[in-house]
Structures are given as C-alpha cells and as structure tokens.
Amino acid sequence: MSLDLPRYSAAGNLRGAGFMVASMAGFAVEDMFLKSAAREMPLGLVVIVLGLTGMAFFSVWAMRRREPVFPAALVSPPLLVRSGFEISGRLFYALAVALTPLSVASAILQATPLVVMLGASVLFHERIGWRRWLAVATGFAGVLVILRPGLSGFDLLSLLAVAAMLGFSGRDLATRAAPPALSNAQLGVLGYLMFTIAGAIILAVSGDVAMPSAHALSRALAAAVFGIAGYAFLTAAMRTGEVGAVTPFRYTRLVFAMILGALAFGERPDAAMLVGSALVVGSGLFILTRPRR
C-alpha cells in the first residue's frame, strides 16, 4: 500500500521542527512527574489518570470548536490502525520501563526515527538522501554515547521496548495518513482513549489496585498536563512538516531530560553526555537546514 501526500514547504518543515521540540520538552517534564507518581501509586493507575485527563481536555477542546468528539472518521481504516499501534506502544513501553533498566528502554526507543523515516520512504514516497540517513545515524550514535547501554542489558525482556518502539513508529506514520478533516483535538481524544485502555490492561494484569495519596495524584495530574501539551505538539508536528525533517528532533527529548535531571535530582552530565548531546542536536539541525534536491 502506498499513499500520496502533498509536498511540504521549508516553512512548514521549520514549524514542524518547532512543534517537535516543544513536544519533546513536554514529554520530558511528563516523565519527571510520572516517575515520581509511580513510586507511590500503581503504574496502571497512573496511566489511566493520564488517559482520562487527556480525554477530558481534548473533548472540551473539540466541543469548543463545535466539532463532534467521536466523528465517524475515527473508525476509518487508518485511524483503527493508529489506535492499535497507540495501545501497543503505550502498553509495551510502560512494561519496559517497569521491568527493564530505564537506560536500555530509552535507548531502544530512540530508534523510532529510523523506523519512521523508512516507513515514510516506503508508504509516502518521501525521498530521503544518504546525507539525511547519515545525519540520523549520527544522532542515534549520539544517543548511544549518552546512554551507553551495556550488552548485559539486552535480555529477553528488552523485546518489550522493541515492541513499544514499533508501536510508536506505526502510530506516527498512521497519524500522517489520518483523514485531513479530523482536527488535532479529535485525534487527541482518540489517542488518550487508547492511553486509558493501555492503563486498564496493565492494571487488570497486575491486579495492583490501591487508593493513591493526594500527593501522588497531584503529580500524576501534573504529568497529564505536560503530556497533553506534548501530545498536541507531536500531532501538529507530524501533520505540518515532512517526516524526514521533523522526526530527528525527537532526540532533543534527551537534552531536556538531562537538564531536568540536573535541576530536579542534582545530576551532573559528564563529558560523554555532553558530546552525545552535541551529536544529537547537530544532526537534527543539519537535516532541517539542508535544502531538498
């Protein structure tokens, strides 16, 4: 199957890159609050809180725009595929974070841009030159320099992170194929509905149900607020610029995480982390500024 999409301008790519950077900043702050909340309440319940909060926000947004919250287009084939990938990505990534070292799960997830760009070249006929591929590979090498995952970390459970990476890649590609008539608010409702379903699956399997404290619940809600902002910017990025131009800026999430780690937890980056961050940011800027031929 192949899909023909309109070409995107340089200005569109610039806006898309800005949306992607803002998205990654929101997700980095979300992760900070999520990590804190999960220490005091079940992981599945945290995910459900995030999902329900996001659904409520995007539902209100859609109604204020006088749009149906659940239009008929939500059951179109591209959206059904997107929903399936969304559930699998959220579910397997949460399990990977809980059952494997966070550095290993994060490192594997950074392969998402490579998979998305490959999918864009096959499905959307986007021409991705060898220089762009080399730049993305350089960015991925920077991720490895930062995280330095050991070979001992890649056990069988690491396949959970691989499944999550494939799920998020499929979701992003399906977002580009979504019917143009659907607004970002409607896509947000659908996405957070899948988020809620993923949390319910985790909670049902774990059976760990407990009443959260007000402190833990407040942190889960804070994570939801920043996650909503990140999700909205991500959807806008994937629908504004070319996949090959905006996707590499996912790597900036690591830079924001490094800054938040220093401010919130007293972490200090070493030379390897600084070098890796420079490779990540440099590769993204190269792809954005390089003209298309």
Side-chain angles (χ1 to χ4, degrees):
M1 180 183 69
S2 63
L3 297 172
D4 294 319
L5 295 183
R7 291 182 176 272
Y8 290 85
S9 65
N13 288 340
L14 181 62
R15 289 195 302 272
F19 288 144
M20 184 63 76
V21 172
S23 171
M24 295 302 104
F27 286 140
V29 178
E30 177 193 26
D31 289 343
M32 181 184 68
F33 283 112
L34 180 62
K35 180 177 180 179
S36 178
R39 294 175 178 175
E40 303 179 35
M41 57 191 292
L43 174 63
L45 188 57
V46 175
V47 175
I48 289 176
V49 169
L50 268 65
L52 292 178
T53 305
M55 279 187 63
F57 172 83
F58 284 107
S59 296
V60 171
W61 184 10
M63 289 186 290
R64 286 181 61 86
R65 292 167 55 92
R66 299 183 183 278
E67 299 170 347
V69 176
F70 294 102
L74 290 184
V75 294
S76 63
L79 268 297
L80 291 177
V81 172
R82 181 183 188 272
S83 297
F85 280 124
E86 182 86 52
I87 292 176
S88 65
R90 296 292 187 179
L91 174 62
F92 286 116
Y93 186 62
L95 291 174
V97 169
L99 300 176
T100 67
L102 183 59
S103 62
V104 174
S106 298
I108 294 174
L109 194 65
Q110 298 312 309
T112 301
L114 299 176
V115 178
V116 172
M117 289 184 68
L118 176 61
S121 66
V122 173
L123 297 176
F124 303 145
H125 305 301
E126 288 195 9
R127 299 182 60 184
I128 300 174
W130 66 269
R131 292 179 179 84
R132 283 192 173 190
W133 281 117
L134 181 60
V136 174
T138 302
F140 182 61
V143 172
L144 295 180
V145 171
I146 294 172
L147 298 176
R148 287 161 290 181
L151 293 178
S152 61
F154 288 90
D155 57 15
L156 187 61
L157 290 176
S158 296
L159 293 178
L160 294 171
V162 174
M165 179 266 294
L166 294 175
F168 287 136
S169 300
R171 177 200 64 187
D172 291 350
L173 289 167
T175 298
R176 289 294 298 276
L182 288 177
S183 69
N184 289 349
Q186 292 168 326
L187 288 175
V189 172
L190 179 63
Y192 274 95
L193 173 60
M194 300 305 108
F195 206 164
T196 305
I197 293 174
I201 293 173
I202 295 173
L203 202 61
V205 173
S206 67
D208 186 11
V209 181
M211 182 63 67
S213 64
H215 180 266
L217 187 59
S218 66
R219 290 184 176 273
L221 291 174
V225 170
F226 284 98
I228 289 169
Y231 195 95
F233 282 123
L234 175 62
T235 303
M238 297 305 296
R239 303 184 83 182
T240 302
E242 290 177 319
V243 172
V246 304
T247 296
F249 283 83
R250 283 181 173 277
Y251 292 134
T252 58
R253 183 172 182 169
L254 293 173
V255 178
F256 290 119
M258 182 178 62
I259 295 173
L260 291 174
L263 295 177
F265 305 112
E267 300 174 359
R268 293 294 180 266
D270 56 16
M273 185 167 290
L274 293 176
V275 171
S277 299
L279 290 174
V280 169
V281 175
S283 65
L285 291 177
F286 173 83
I287 291 175
L288 177 65
T289 57
R290 181 170 179 79
R292 299 273 301 187
R293 292 186 182 276

Short mmCIF file of all heavy atoms in Angstrom, two decimals, residues 69-123:
data_model
loop_
_atom_site.label_atom_id
_atom_site.label_comp_id
_atom_site.label_asym_id
_atom_site.label_seq_id
_atom_site.Cartn_x
_atom_site.Cartn_y
_atom_site.Cartn_z
N VAL A 69 -17.03 14.98 19.16
CA VAL A 69 -15.93 14.38 19.90
C VAL A 69 -15.53 13.05 19.28
O VAL A 69 -14.34 12.72 19.19
CB VAL A 69 -16.32 14.20 21.38
CG1 VAL A 69 -15.22 13.48 22.16
CG2 VAL A 69 -16.61 15.56 22.02
N PHE A 70 -16.51 12.27 18.85
CA PHE A 70 -16.24 10.97 18.24
C PHE A 70 -16.87 10.94 16.84
O PHE A 70 -17.93 10.35 16.65
CB PHE A 70 -16.80 9.84 19.10
CG PHE A 70 -16.13 9.71 20.44
CD1 PHE A 70 -16.76 10.18 21.58
CD2 PHE A 70 -14.89 9.11 20.56
CE1 PHE A 70 -16.15 10.08 22.83
CE2 PHE A 70 -14.28 8.99 21.79
CZ PHE A 70 -14.90 9.48 22.93
N PRO A 71 -16.23 11.57 15.85
CA PRO A 71 -16.77 11.55 14.49
C PRO A 71 -16.67 10.17 13.87
O PRO A 71 -15.90 9.31 14.32
CB PRO A 71 -15.90 12.57 13.75
CG PRO A 71 -14.60 12.53 14.49
CD PRO A 71 -14.96 12.31 15.93
N ALA A 72 -17.45 9.97 12.82
CA ALA A 72 -17.46 8.67 12.15
C ALA A 72 -16.10 8.30 11.58
O ALA A 72 -15.75 7.13 11.48
CB ALA A 72 -18.52 8.67 11.04
N ALA A 73 -15.29 9.32 11.24
CA ALA A 73 -13.97 9.06 10.64
C ALA A 73 -13.02 8.36 11.61
O ALA A 73 -12.01 7.80 11.18
CB ALA A 73 -13.35 10.36 10.17
N LEU A 74 -13.34 8.36 12.90
CA LEU A 74 -12.46 7.71 13.87
C LEU A 74 -12.41 6.20 13.69
O LEU A 74 -11.52 5.55 14.21
CB LEU A 74 -12.90 8.05 15.30
CG LEU A 74 -12.67 9.49 15.76
CD1 LEU A 74 -13.07 9.65 17.22
CD2 LEU A 74 -11.22 9.91 15.58
N VAL A 75 -13.39 5.66 12.97
CA VAL A 75 -13.38 4.21 12.73
C VAL A 75 -12.94 3.91 11.30
O VAL A 75 -13.14 2.80 10.82
CB VAL A 75 -14.77 3.60 13.00
CG1 VAL A 75 -15.13 3.71 14.47
CG2 VAL A 75 -15.84 4.25 12.13
N SER A 76 -12.30 4.89 10.64
CA SER A 76 -11.75 4.63 9.32
C SER A 76 -10.52 3.74 9.46
O SER A 76 -9.89 3.69 10.52
CB SER A 76 -11.37 5.96 8.64
OG SER A 76 -10.35 6.62 9.39
N PRO A 77 -10.15 3.01 8.40
CA PRO A 77 -9.01 2.08 8.50
C PRO A 77 -7.72 2.71 9.02
O PRO A 77 -7.08 2.14 9.91
CB PRO A 77 -8.88 1.57 7.06
CG PRO A 77 -10.27 1.63 6.51
CD PRO A 77 -10.87 2.86 7.10
N PRO A 78 -7.31 3.91 8.53
CA PRO A 78 -6.06 4.48 9.08
C PRO A 78 -6.13 4.76 10.57
O PRO A 78 -5.15 4.56 11.30
CB PRO A 78 -5.89 5.79 8.28
CG PRO A 78 -6.67 5.58 7.03
CD PRO A 78 -7.84 4.74 7.43
N LEU A 79 -7.30 5.20 11.05
CA LEU A 79 -7.44 5.50 12.48
C LEU A 79 -7.51 4.24 13.32
O LEU A 79 -7.02 4.21 14.45
CB LEU A 79 -8.68 6.37 12.71
CG LEU A 79 -8.45 7.89 12.69
CD1 LEU A 79 -7.52 8.30 13.81
CD2 LEU A 79 -7.88 8.35 11.35
N LEU A 80 -8.12 3.19 12.80
CA LEU A 80 -8.13 1.93 13.52
C LEU A 80 -6.71 1.38 13.64
O LEU A 80 -6.31 0.86 14.70
CB LEU A 80 -9.03 0.92 12.81
CG LEU A 80 -10.53 1.22 12.84
CD1 LEU A 80 -11.30 0.19 12.03
CD2 LEU A 80 -11.04 1.24 14.28
N VAL A 81 -5.93 1.50 12.56
CA VAL A 81 -4.53 1.07 12.61
C VAL A 81 -3.76 1.92 13.62
O VAL A 81 -2.98 1.40 14.43
CB VAL A 81 -3.89 1.17 11.21
CG1 VAL A 81 -2.38 0.92 11.29
CG2 VAL A 81 -4.53 0.18 10.26
N ARG A 82 -3.98 3.23 13.58
CA ARG A 82 -3.33 4.13 14.52
C ARG A 82 -3.65 3.77 15.97
O ARG A 82 -2.78 3.77 16.83
CB ARG A 82 -3.75 5.57 14.22
CG ARG A 82 -3.10 6.62 15.12
CD ARG A 82 -3.65 8.00 14.79
NE ARG A 82 -2.94 9.06 15.47
CZ ARG A 82 -3.24 9.52 16.69
NH1 ARG A 82 -4.24 8.98 17.36
NH2 ARG A 82 -2.55 10.51 17.23
N SER A 83 -4.91 3.45 16.23
CA SER A 83 -5.32 3.10 17.59
C SER A 83 -4.63 1.84 18.08
O SER A 83 -4.19 1.76 19.23
CB SER A 83 -6.85 2.91 17.64
OG SER A 83 -7.52 4.12 17.31
N GLY A 84 -4.53 0.86 17.19
CA GLY A 84 -3.85 -0.37 17.58
C GLY A 84 -2.39 -0.13 17.91
O GLY A 84 -1.86 -0.65 18.91
N PHE A 85 -1.71 0.67 17.08
CA PHE A 85 -0.31 0.99 17.35
C PHE A 85 -0.17 1.81 18.63
O PHE A 85 0.78 1.64 19.39
CB PHE A 85 0.29 1.76 16.17
CG PHE A 85 0.69 0.88 15.02
CD1 PHE A 85 0.18 1.10 13.74
CD2 PHE A 85 1.60 -0.16 15.19
CE1 PHE A 85 0.55 0.30 12.67
CE2 PHE A 85 1.98 -0.96 14.13
CZ PHE A 85 1.45 -0.74 12.87
N GLU A 86 -1.13 2.71 18.86
CA GLU A 86 -1.08 3.54 20.07
C GLU A 86 -1.15 2.69 21.33
O GLU A 86 -0.37 2.87 22.27
CB GLU A 86 -2.24 4.54 20.06
CG GLU A 86 -2.27 5.50 21.23
CD GLU A 86 -1.42 6.73 21.00
OE1 GLU A 86 -1.60 7.39 19.96
OE2 GLU A 86 -0.58 7.04 21.86
N ILE A 87 -2.08 1.76 21.36
CA ILE A 87 -2.22 0.89 22.53
C ILE A 87 -0.96 0.07 22.75
O ILE A 87 -0.43 -0.01 23.87
CB ILE A 87 -3.44 -0.04 22.37
CG1 ILE A 87 -4.73 0.76 22.41
CG2 ILE A 87 -3.45 -1.11 23.47
CD1 ILE A 87 -5.98 -0.08 22.16
N SER A 88 -0.45 -0.53 21.68
CA SER A 88 0.73 -1.38 21.83
C SER A 88 1.94 -0.56 22.27
O SER A 88 2.73 -1.01 23.13
CB SER A 88 1.03 -2.11 20.52
OG SER A 88 1.38 -1.20 19.49
N GLY A 89 2.11 0.64 21.71
CA GLY A 89 3.24 1.47 22.10
C GLY A 89 3.19 1.86 23.57
O GLY A 89 4.17 1.73 24.31
N ARG A 90 2.02 2.35 24.01
CA ARG A 90 1.87 2.76 25.41
C ARG A 90 2.02 1.58 26.36
O ARG A 90 2.66 1.68 27.41
CB ARG A 90 0.49 3.40 25.60
CG ARG A 90 0.26 4.67 24.83
CD ARG A 90 1.12 5.81 25.33
NE ARG A 90 0.78 7.06 24.70
CZ ARG A 90 1.38 8.22 24.97
NH1 ARG A 90 2.36 8.25 25.87
NH2 ARG A 90 1.05 9.32 24.34
N LEU A 91 1.41 0.48 26.01
CA LEU A 91 1.42 -0.70 26.88
C LEU A 91 2.83 -1.26 27.03
O LEU A 91 3.33 -1.44 28.16
CB LEU A 91 0.48 -1.76 26.30
CG LEU A 91 0.46 -3.12 27.00
CD1 LEU A 91 -0.01 -2.97 28.44
CD2 LEU A 91 -0.47 -4.07 26.25
N PHE A 92 3.50 -1.52 25.91
CA PHE A 92 4.81 -2.15 25.98
C PHE A 92 5.88 -1.21 26.54
O PHE A 92 6.81 -1.67 27.21
CB PHE A 92 5.22 -2.67 24.60
CG PHE A 92 4.47 -3.90 24.18
CD1 PHE A 92 3.62 -3.88 23.08
CD2 PHE A 92 4.59 -5.09 24.89
CE1 PHE A 92 2.92 -5.02 22.69
CE2 PHE A 92 3.91 -6.23 24.51
CZ PHE A 92 3.06 -6.20 23.41
N TYR A 93 5.74 0.09 26.29
CA TYR A 93 6.74 0.99 26.84
C TYR A 93 6.61 1.09 28.36
O TYR A 93 7.62 1.12 29.08
CB TYR A 93 6.64 2.37 26.22
CG TYR A 93 7.75 3.29 26.65
CD1 TYR A 93 9.08 2.99 26.35
CD2 TYR A 93 7.50 4.45 27.38
CE1 TYR A 93 10.12 3.82 26.74
CE2 TYR A 93 8.52 5.28 27.78
CZ TYR A 93 9.83 4.96 27.46
OH TYR A 93 10.85 5.78 27.86
N ALA A 94 5.39 1.13 28.86
CA ALA A 94 5.20 1.16 30.31
C ALA A 94 5.76 -0.10 30.95
O ALA A 94 6.41 -0.04 32.00
CB ALA A 94 3.71 1.30 30.63
N LEU A 95 5.53 -1.25 30.32
CA LEU A 95 6.07 -2.50 30.86
C LEU A 95 7.59 -2.51 30.77
O LEU A 95 8.27 -3.01 31.68
CB LEU A 95 5.48 -3.69 30.09
CG LEU A 95 3.99 -3.95 30.31
CD1 LEU A 95 3.51 -5.06 29.38
CD2 LEU A 95 3.72 -4.32 31.76
N ALA A 96 8.14 -1.99 29.67
CA ALA A 96 9.60 -1.96 29.52
C ALA A 96 10.24 -1.10 30.60
O ALA A 96 11.27 -1.47 31.18
CB ALA A 96 9.97 -1.45 28.14
N VAL A 97 9.64 0.05 30.88
CA VAL A 97 10.17 0.93 31.92
C VAL A 97 10.11 0.25 33.28
O VAL A 97 11.01 0.39 34.11
CB VAL A 97 9.40 2.26 31.94
CG1 VAL A 97 9.77 3.09 33.18
CG2 VAL A 97 9.67 3.06 30.67
N ALA A 98 9.04 -0.51 33.52
CA ALA A 98 8.87 -1.16 34.82
C ALA A 98 9.75 -2.39 34.99
O ALA A 98 10.20 -2.67 36.11
CB ALA A 98 7.41 -1.55 35.01
N LEU A 99 10.03 -3.12 33.90
CA LEU A 99 10.70 -4.42 34.02
C LEU A 99 12.14 -4.43 33.54
O LEU A 99 12.84 -5.43 33.77
CB LEU A 99 9.90 -5.48 33.26
CG LEU A 99 8.45 -5.70 33.73
CD1 LEU A 99 7.75 -6.71 32.83
CD2 LEU A 99 8.42 -6.15 35.18
N THR A 100 12.60 -3.40 32.85
CA THR A 100 13.98 -3.36 32.36
C THR A 100 14.63 -2.06 32.81
O THR A 100 13.94 -1.11 33.19
CB THR A 100 14.02 -3.46 30.83
OG1 THR A 100 13.44 -2.28 30.26
CG2 THR A 100 13.28 -4.68 30.33
N PRO A 101 15.96 -1.98 32.76
CA PRO A 101 16.63 -0.72 33.09
C PRO A 101 16.13 0.41 32.19
O PRO A 101 15.96 0.25 30.98
CB PRO A 101 18.11 -1.02 32.82
CG PRO A 101 18.22 -2.51 33.00
CD PRO A 101 16.92 -3.07 32.50
N LEU A 102 15.90 1.57 32.79
CA LEU A 102 15.35 2.69 32.03
C LEU A 102 16.27 3.11 30.89
O LEU A 102 15.80 3.50 29.82
CB LEU A 102 15.11 3.88 32.97
CG LEU A 102 14.46 5.12 32.35
CD1 LEU A 102 13.10 4.79 31.77
CD2 LEU A 102 14.34 6.23 33.39
N SER A 103 17.58 3.03 31.10
CA SER A 103 18.52 3.42 30.04
C SER A 103 18.39 2.51 28.83
O SER A 103 18.48 2.98 27.68
CB SER A 103 19.97 3.38 30.57
OG SER A 103 20.32 2.08 30.97
N VAL A 104 18.17 1.23 29.05
CA VAL A 104 18.02 0.29 27.94
C VAL A 104 16.73 0.58 27.18
O VAL A 104 16.71 0.65 25.94
CB VAL A 104 18.04 -1.16 28.45
CG1 VAL A 104 17.74 -2.14 27.31
CG2 VAL A 104 19.39 -1.48 29.08
N ALA A 105 15.63 0.74 27.91
CA ALA A 105 14.35 1.03 27.26
C ALA A 105 14.41 2.33 26.48
O ALA A 105 13.91 2.42 25.35
CB ALA A 105 13.24 1.09 28.31
N SER A 106 15.04 3.36 27.06
CA SER A 106 15.13 4.64 26.38
C SER A 106 16.00 4.55 25.13
O SER A 106 15.68 5.15 24.10
CB SER A 106 15.70 5.70 27.33
OG SER A 106 14.86 5.88 28.44
N ALA A 107 17.10 3.81 25.23
CA ALA A 107 18.00 3.69 24.08
C ALA A 107 17.30 3.01 22.91
O ALA A 107 17.43 3.44 21.76
CB ALA A 107 19.25 2.92 24.47
N ILE A 108 16.57 1.95 23.19
CA ILE A 108 15.86 1.24 22.12
C ILE A 108 14.79 2.14 21.51
O ILE A 108 14.59 2.17 20.29
CB ILE A 108 15.24 -0.05 22.66
CG1 ILE A 108 16.35 -1.03 23.08
CG2 ILE A 108 14.33 -0.71 21.62
CD1 ILE A 108 15.86 -2.28 23.76
N LEU A 109 14.11 2.92 22.34
CA LEU A 109 13.04 3.78 21.84
C LEU A 109 13.58 4.85 20.89
O LEU A 109 12.84 5.31 20.00
CB LEU A 109 12.32 4.45 23.01
CG LEU A 109 10.98 5.10 22.69
CD1 LEU A 109 9.96 4.06 22.25
CD2 LEU A 109 10.46 5.89 23.88
N GLN A 110 14.83 5.25 21.04
CA GLN A 110 15.40 6.27 20.17
C GLN A 110 15.59 5.79 18.73
O GLN A 110 15.93 6.58 17.85
CB GLN A 110 16.72 6.77 20.73
CG GLN A 110 16.61 7.42 22.10
CD GLN A 110 15.50 8.45 22.17
OE1 GLN A 110 15.41 9.34 21.34
NE2 GLN A 110 14.63 8.32 23.16
N ALA A 111 15.38 4.50 18.48
CA ALA A 111 15.42 4.00 17.10
C ALA A 111 14.14 4.34 16.35
O ALA A 111 14.05 4.09 15.14
CB ALA A 111 15.65 2.49 17.09
N THR A 112 13.15 4.90 17.03
CA THR A 112 11.88 5.25 16.38
C THR A 112 12.06 6.11 15.13
O THR A 112 11.44 5.83 14.09
CB THR A 112 10.95 5.96 17.38
OG1 THR A 112 10.69 5.09 18.49
CG2 THR A 112 9.62 6.33 16.73
N PRO A 113 12.88 7.18 15.16
CA PRO A 113 13.02 7.99 13.94
C PRO A 113 13.50 7.20 12.73
O PRO A 113 13.07 7.46 11.60
CB PRO A 113 14.05 9.06 14.36
CG PRO A 113 13.91 9.16 15.83
CD PRO A 113 13.60 7.77 16.30
N LEU A 114 14.40 6.25 12.95
CA LEU A 114 14.88 5.45 11.82
C LEU A 114 13.75 4.65 11.20
O LEU A 114 13.62 4.57 9.98
CB LEU A 114 16.00 4.51 12.29
CG LEU A 114 17.24 5.18 12.88
CD1 LEU A 114 18.22 4.12 13.38
CD2 LEU A 114 17.90 6.07 11.84
N VAL A 115 12.91 4.05 12.04
CA VAL A 115 11.79 3.25 11.54
C VAL A 115 10.77 4.15 10.85
O VAL A 115 10.22 3.81 9.80
CB VAL A 115 11.15 2.45 12.68
CG1 VAL A 115 9.95 1.66 12.19
CG2 VAL A 115 12.17 1.52 13.32
N VAL A 116 10.50 5.33 11.44
CA VAL A 116 9.53 6.25 10.84
C VAL A 116 10.01 6.74 9.48
O VAL A 116 9.24 6.82 8.52
CB VAL A 116 9.27 7.43 11.80
CG1 VAL A 116 8.42 8.50 11.11
CG2 VAL A 116 8.56 6.94 13.06
N MET A 117 11.29 7.09 9.40
CA MET A 117 11.81 7.56 8.11
C MET A 117 11.76 6.47 7.05
O MET A 117 11.46 6.72 5.89
CB MET A 117 13.23 8.09 8.29
CG MET A 117 13.31 9.39 9.05
SD MET A 117 14.99 10.06 9.17
CE MET A 117 15.30 10.48 7.47
N LEU A 118 12.07 5.24 7.43
CA LEU A 118 11.97 4.12 6.50
C LEU A 118 10.53 3.94 6.04
O LEU A 118 10.26 3.76 4.85
CB LEU A 118 12.49 2.84 7.14
CG LEU A 118 12.37 1.56 6.30
CD1 LEU A 118 13.18 1.70 5.03
CD2 LEU A 118 12.84 0.35 7.11
N GLY A 119 9.60 4.02 6.98
CA GLY A 119 8.18 3.90 6.62
C GLY A 119 7.73 5.02 5.72
O GLY A 119 6.93 4.82 4.79
N ALA A 120 8.23 6.25 5.97
CA ALA A 120 7.85 7.39 5.14
C ALA A 120 8.34 7.22 3.71
O ALA A 120 7.65 7.57 2.75
CB ALA A 120 8.40 8.68 5.73
N SER A 121 9.54 6.67 3.55
CA SER A 121 10.07 6.47 2.21
C SER A 121 9.29 5.41 1.45
O SER A 121 9.14 5.49 0.22
CB SER A 121 11.55 6.09 2.28
OG SER A 121 11.71 4.82 2.90
N VAL A 122 8.76 4.41 2.16
CA VAL A 122 8.03 3.32 1.51
C VAL A 122 6.57 3.70 1.28
O VAL A 122 6.03 3.53 0.18
CB VAL A 122 8.12 2.03 2.34
CG1 VAL A 122 7.23 0.94 1.77
CG2 VAL A 122 9.57 1.55 2.42
N LEU A 123 5.91 4.23 2.30
CA LEU A 123 4.48 4.50 2.22
C LEU A 123 4.15 5.83 1.59
O LEU A 123 3.19 5.95 0.83
CB LEU A 123 3.86 4.44 3.63
CG LEU A 123 3.94 3.10 4.36
CD1 LEU A 123 3.37 3.24 5.76
CD2 LEU A 123 3.18 2.02 3.58
#
